[in-house]
Amino acid sequence: MSSARLSELRISNEARTDVVELRRRLHDDGYLFFRGLLDPLRLLKLRREMLTVMQAGGWLAAGTDAIDGIANPDSRSTEGDLDYTDVYHQVYRLQSFHEIAHCREVLDVLEQIRGGEMIPQPQKIARLWFPRFTEHTTPIHQDFVHFQGTWDNLTCWSPVGDCPRELGGLAVLRGSHRVNRVLDHHFSLGAGSLHVDPAAHGELTDEWQTTDYEVGDTLIFPALTVHKALPNVTADRLRISLDNRYQRVGDPIAEHMLNPHLSSMSSLSWDDVYTNWNSDEFQYYWKIHNLPVLPKITLYLDQAFDEAIQLARSGDARAQLHLRRIALRDPTAPQGKLAASVLDTLTCR
Ligand SMILES: O=C(O)CCC(=O)C(=O)O
Ligand SMILES: [Fe+2]
C-alpha cells in the first residue's frame, strides 16, 4: 500500500463563504476539509450516547468511562461479522446519530458547492473500529462502487471525538477524482471488501493527505475520490466516525441506500430504527422528494467474491476468513453455500 508521502490536508475554513474558491479547491484536490464545522459539544454528546450502547453490548473494558472508548479486546469484531451488526444496529437506533446528518452547517456548505438543495441519503453510516485489528482497515477505494447513484454525490466523514493519526482517520489521494471514471476494484478485507491498487493506475499520484482530526472536523469528497482509512494502531481505543452521503434532491439514488446500513446482513427496518424516537421530523424525510431509484450494481462485489473464491482455493488466509464470514451470515444464499463448500474442500484436503 503506497503511503510514501502523507502530507497535511488543506484546511478550507477561510474560504467557507467563497463558493468560487470552494469549487476550485474541490476540483483541484478532490476534497474539502473544515476544522470545527460541526458543533464539538453536540458530537461529544453523541459520542457518549454511542459508546454507552457499545458498553451495554460488552464492547468496552470493564470499569472504564464510556466516553474514553476503551475497547474490550475480547469483543473485537468488524463489518461483516454478525456480532458487529448486533451492537451496531443498537447504535443505529439512536435518534441523535441520524439527526446530526441534517445539521445546517454541513448542508450550507454542500448546497453552496452543488448550487441547489441537498439531502443526506437515508442510509447513514457509523464506523466503530477496534484497535489493533488492522487487517480490517478500510482499504483504498472510491465510494461510487458502494453507494452508486451519481458521481456528484458527496461523502462527509467526521470523527466522533478527536482522531489523531494513530487512531486511524481517513486519508485521501489528492486530485484522484480527476481520473473521471470508476477504477478497477479487487477483493480485500476491510469495510466494503473492495480495494484499488494505485500502482495499477498510472495516472494516480502518491499524494496521500491526512491530519490529526479533532472533534467537529469534517472531510467532504465526491464519489470518485480515492481514499482509505489509516490503521487504528492505538493500544486500546475504539475509533468512532460518521460517514454520510448527500445528493441533490433531483438526482437518482441507488435502491440499497434507501435502507438502514447493514440491514441486508441482519434485518432492520426504519420502523425498528424509529422505535424510541421522540420526534418524527427526520423520519422518512426523503419520501417527499420522490427520488428516482436505480437498481444496485452488484458487479463490483460479485467480482470480488469470485476473486475471494479463487484466492481461498489457492490458500489465501484473508480470502478464507472472508468466505467464513459469508458462509456464517448467509448460509442459505448462493454465495454463502459456495463459500461453505469451498471451505469444506479446503479442510478435507
Ligand atoms: O471510516 C472508514 O474507515 C471508512 C470511511 C469511508 O470510506 C468513507 O467515509 O467513505
Ligand atoms: Fe469510502
Side-chain angles (χ1 to χ4, degrees):
M1 190 178 288
S2 170
S3 56
R5 296 173 60 199
L6 202 61
S7 57
E8 276 289 320
L9 290 169
R10 168 153 49 159
I11 299 170
S12 284
N13 287 54
E14 82 289 357
R16 190 162 148 188
T17 54
D18 182 347
V19 62
V20 174
E21 180 60 15
L22 288 181
R23 287 182 183 159
R24 181 181 302 133
R25 290 181 184 200
L26 192 61
H27 175 266
D28 289 349
D29 298 339
Y31 71 85
L32 289 170
F33 174 59
F34 297 95
R35 293 251 180 239
L37 185 64
L38 291 162
D39 174 8
L41 290 178
R42 186 169 172 190
L43 274 167
L44 288 174
K45 192 161 171 279
L46 175 63
R47 177 178 170 85
R48 183 172 283 286
E49 281 186 69
M50 293 172 80
L51 277 159
T52 301
V53 176
M54 291 181 239
Q55 190 168 44
W59 279 16
L60 302 189
T64 58
D65 186 344
I67 199 80
D68 295 331
I70 301 177
N72 167 8
D74 298 334
S75 57
R76 280 193 328 184
S77 61
T78 190
E79 276 182 21
D81 289 326
L82 290 171
D83 290 349
Y84 181 88
T85 319
D86 284 348
V87 174
Y88 179 68
H89 277 173
Q90 292 307 319
V91 173
Y92 209 82
R93 291 164 189 258
L94 291 172
Q95 181 175 345
S96 45
F97 160 65
H98 292 266
E99 279 181 353
I100 203 153
H102 296 264
C103 80
R104 221 35 264 174
E105 301 90 301
V106 168
L107 282 166
D108 280 347
V109 172
L110 302 180
E111 291 184 344
Q112 274 191 69
I113 299 168
R114 289 291 183 242
E117 190 184 351
M118 300 284 287
I119 52 166
Q121 295 192 320
Q123 183 174 115
K124 317 291 180 303
I125 299 184
R127 312 285 178 176
L128 317 173
W129 263 210
F130 277 82
R132 307 264 168 115
F133 208 29
T134 55
E135 61 184 341
H136 302 291
T137 303
T138 304
I140 301 172
H141 67 280
Q142 294 169 306
D143 270 3
F144 185 81
V145 294
H146 299 299
F147 309 112
Q148 304 173 18
T150 80
W151 291 357
D152 281 349
N153 288 350
L154 292 165
T155 295
C156 293
W157 185 93
S158 311
V160 187
D162 289 346
C163 185
R165 282 171 168 74
E166 64 272 18
L167 197 54
L170 227 61
V172 292
L173 193 51
R174 193 176 90 80
S176 51
H177 64 303
R178 282 188 262 129
V179 292
N180 220 27
R181 65 194 165 90
V182 181
L183 299 171
D184 296 331
H185 283 69
H186 297 278
F187 161 72
S188 168
L189 285 182
S193 312
L194 292 171
H195 91 107
V196 165
D197 177 6
H201 297 94
E203 68 264 58
L204 293 178
T205 65
D206 67 349
E207 250 189 286
W208 285 100
Q209 298 192 323
T210 191
T211 193
D212 290 316
Y213 294 90
E214 291 162 22
V215 62
D217 293 353
T218 295
L219 180 66
I220 300 171
F221 54 93
L224 293 184
T225 298
V226 174
H227 60 284
K228 65 178 178 182
L230 299 176
N232 177 352
V233 294
T234 62
D236 55 9
R237 304 282 156 151
L238 280 151
R239 186 257 284 178
I240 301 163
S241 55
L242 311 175
D243 49 279
N244 293 319
R245 281 139 202 103
Y246 293 78
Q247 66 167 94
R248 292 191 196 90
V249 293
D251 281 348
I253 184 167
E255 59 187 344
H256 58 292
M257 297 308 287
L258 293 167
N259 301 324
H261 189 221
L262 305 187
S263 58
S264 60
M265 217 163 270
S266 173
S267 104
L268 182 75
S269 69
W270 288 116
D271 281 350
D272 295 333
V273 170
Y274 299 151
T275 309
N276 295 319
W277 288 29
N278 63 20
S279 151
D280 59 9
E281 186 184 355
F282 294 116
Q283 296 183 15
Y284 298 109
Y285 63 90
W286 60 91
K287 296 220 170 194
I288 53 161
H289 298 294
N290 285 318
L291 305 171
V293 179
L294 298 171
K296 180 176 180 179
I297 304 166
T298 58
L299 176 78
Y300 311 112
L301 280 171
D302 287 349
Q303 280 176 351
F305 178 76
D306 292 345
E307 284 177 3
I309 293 280
Q310 300 309 325
L311 286 164
R313 284 194 171 121
S314 63
D316 185 295
R318 292 160 66 95
Q320 290 169 6
L321 172 57
H322 183 68
L323 294 189
R324 267 198 294 284
R325 289 202 167 108
I326 292 177
L328 270 176
R329 77 178 185 241
D330 298 321
T332 56
Q335 287 194 345
K337 286 184 183 164
L338 180 55
S341 78
V342 168
L343 292 167
D344 277 351
T345 56
L346 291 169
T347 48
C348 293
R349 270 187 198 162

